[in-house]
Amino acid sequence: MPDSPADILFLLHAAVLSVFVGATSVSMLLAVISRIRVRKPLLVWRTGKFSRIPIGPTLFLAIVAVAFLASAWTGRSIAPHVMIGYPAGGVFWWIATWLCRSVIVTEYGIIHDVTCISRAVSWSQITDYFAAEDDGRAYMVFFYENDDGERCRMNLPVPESQRAPFEQLISRKLDPRFRCKMREPYDEEAFDE
């Protein structure tokens, strides 16, 4: 049983750090397993509003590095569980977030959330699509029917490096389904009669 408030604080900190490392490691493991389950990806890219790297985990790792450097500079010792736990948890978090922000395009459809492959959109579910730009960033909008028959919309950011191959793949997969053969032009006079 802890005798002092410092001992209680130490145990509480160790417990919180253990939960953090455990949760991030499980999250990373699930993301890695989900990514490995995807066979033969044709295109893969990362999504993100500002950059392709995960901002939260990157900032966390930078703060940990600064704190460790400040401790070393001032001559304060760092407990081994802290020296290992924070960087390990940050790296696990970074990898899990990086994998989760992947868009994977396969012969069968689009996986926009690798941790929930059951929410992937197959090419046959797509009922309509169009390309758009917002603030100079290209994205594709897909309308599709989910498993319950509900009409859904997916906005999919597409980096410039993947735009041409993705558009070619869309043309190959979707255009034959949406293409209508034009018949003979109709005579407007026939409708006036």
Side-chain angles (χ1 to χ4, degrees):
M1 194 79 192
D3 295 332
S4 69
D7 291 339
I8 294 172
L9 191 59
F10 174 82
L11 289 176
L12 183 63
H13 178 250
V16 169
L17 183 58
S18 297
V19 168
F20 171 67
V21 172
T24 56
S25 65
V26 168
S27 177
M28 181 193 70
L29 184 63
L30 291 174
V32 168
I33 289 170
S34 295
R35 177 59 182 91
I36 290 172
R37 286 179 51 200
V38 177
R39 299 285 183 218
K40 298 182 182 178
L42 301 175
L43 298 170
V44 178
W45 65 82
R46 312 285 175 252
T47 61
K49 189 165 183 127
F50 300 110
S51 69
R52 304 287 179 246
I53 62 169
I55 294 172
T58 302
L59 287 175
F60 176 81
L61 286 169
I63 291 169
V64 167
V66 168
F68 285 179
L69 288 172
S71 292
W73 190 36
T74 59
R76 301 182 104 193
S77 64
I78 300 173
H81 71 281
V82 172
M83 185 70 104
I84 294 170
Y86 281 109
V91 169
F92 296 157
W93 182 21
W94 197 96
I95 292 169
T97 305
W98 189 73
L99 287 172
C100 290
R101 292 173 63 193
S102 299
V103 172
I104 305 169
V105 182
T106 70
E107 280 291 334
Y108 309 105
I110 302 167
I111 302 169
H112 58 282
D113 183 358
V114 77
T115 58
C116 193
I117 293 179
S118 63
R119 290 183 38 212
V121 177
S122 70
W123 296 115
S124 62
Q125 288 178 282
I126 296 173
T127 58
D128 200 5
Y129 73 95
F130 64 89
E133 279 193 31
D134 185 25
D135 293 331
R137 297 187 64 198
Y139 63 96
M140 297 294 292
V141 177
F142 294 98
F143 295 99
Y144 64 97
E145 288 186 10
N146 65 12
D147 294 336
D148 298 328
E150 298 170 349
R151 192 167 163 99
C152 301
R153 176 181 172 148
M154 175 176 55
N155 293 349
L156 190 65
V158 181
E160 193 60 40
S161 63
Q162 299 292 332
R163 192 171 181 179
F166 188 50
E167 287 175 352
Q168 290 172 355
L169 184 63
I170 289 171
S171 293
R172 184 167 56 93
K173 291 292 186 178
L174 297 179
D175 285 353
R177 285 187 22 220
F178 298 135
R179 189 174 296 136
C180 294
K181 292 188 177 184
M182 295 299 290
R183 297 183 182 212
E184 293 293 321
Y186 64 88
D187 184 7
E188 288 186 30
E189 292 177 8
F191 289 109
D192 290 338
E193 295 176 0

